[in-house]
Amino acid sequence: MNILLLGSGGREHALAWKINQSPLLKKLYIAPGNPGTQNLGENINLSPNDFQQVKQAVIKYGISMVVVGPEDPLVNGIHDFFLSNNELKHIPVIGPTKKGAMLEGSKDFSKGFMVHHGIPTARYQSFKAQHKNEAIRFLSELKSPYVLKADGLAAGKGVVICESLSEAKENLNYFFDGAFGEAGKTVIIEEFLHGVEVSVFVLTDGKSYVILPEAKDYKRIGDGDTGLNTGGMGAVSPVYFFDSNFRLKVEERIIKPTIKGLKNEGIDYKGFIFVGIMNVNGEPYVIEYNARMGDPETQAVMPRLKTDLLELFVKTANQELHNATVEFYDNATVAVILVSQGYPGTYKKGIEISSTNSEPQAITFHAGTVINPNGTLVTCGGRVMASVGIDKDLKAALNIAYSNARGINFDGKYYRTDIGKDLLKQDLP
Ligand code: AMP
Ligand code: GLY
């Protein structure tokens, strides 16, 4: 099969790495890809949001399946575009239609979906700008800290957690005044959940599902979860509390009702559902849904997946996932993200990367890298690379990931030094 994978981040490099191992693969194309993916297939220079260009590439390269990495093309309706086009409708797309992608694209929709289908989540209400007084009244009923969320996609910046009521009111004004454009004109206010988060990944064909290895993500820029939020500074798999007991609760209370709910609402969902879960004293609550895999979680999850991913995609397309079994390696992975100095604020680009892999047991996944016209690998983004350690247990994987991270060199390289270290203690707060 010729596969077209859309996206250019570390997540897509990890997906490409896994797809490339499949005996079902003839040739992998990645659009636009990055310098890491170009060693696993052929990069095509086009934007995943330009559906006409995607169509031309699909026809030109004889593509038999499209795998969508990021959320934007899904929320913009790439799957619907394929279904409504005579030349494309027979080509399966891994990733939901526009309606399904609303699980991620609209927090108002996803919270309503959870409540409607009895899926545990934080108590909430949503408000439009004209109902500011009601919003303030609801805030006053809640206890600190206060959680405010923009309804729509806001590049990972649409969630604000405030310690004081006055700060929460200030932020409410900020949202309603259009700080996040239309995405923030509807605000979700919700109860704060105390616990530890875990990212759970489900692949569904709309009827049945499989669960991939879980992971923990580290979102803040600084050690000890301090400083600004980022796209993700590291990920670890497995997560010790995701044992058979907790997994069963997640499956029965969250995954099964989610799949059933989508079906009942007439949403034909074929693709990943990333469920962000808070473990509150051993009970799972949904923090959010995403319509795709996580980044950087994918970089930690793919090396733990034994089963052929392409075979799972084929079963997804044919609605045969009820026949699928998923096997994991009984090991641990740690992904440490190397970022440009200044990230998540402003940072320089075009800095030479002199070494990319120093540990034979590690994998380096590219993200914000590019090869400049004279053939040198340079930085071109905030999150530059993921250094992934794989070994028999978390401690050993951690050592490999950090040893490899130390060996990657570019000016201004920064990474957190505590990824996975909280999990070594294996106790819940
Ligand atoms: P979201 O974009 O909804 O995943 O929110 C971003 C991050 O904010 C989450 O990963 C959590 O760390 C935090 N967060 C969101 N909602 C809540 C909540 N209700 N209680 C506690 N933390 C939350
Ligand atoms: N790592 C969080 C995300 O991909 O949204």
Side-chain angles (χ1 to χ4, degrees), residues 11 104 199 217 219 231-232 274 288 290 292-297 383:
R11 166 183 49 216
E104 172 164 5
S199 303
D217 177 20
K219 288 198 168 75
F274 158 0
E288 63 163 351
N290 293 304
R292 53 173 171 85
M293 285 297 289
D295 191 337
E297 289 97 324
R383 293 196 289 177

Side-chain angles (χ1 to χ4, degrees), residues 107 122 147 149 159 161 190-193 197 219 278 287-288:
K107 295 210 189 271
V147 184
K149 299 184 176 183
V159 177
I161 296 175
E190 68 179 39
E191 186 182 47
F192 184 88
L193 296 173
E197 283 180 73
K219 288 198 168 75
M278 188 72 87
I287 291 275
E288 63 163 351

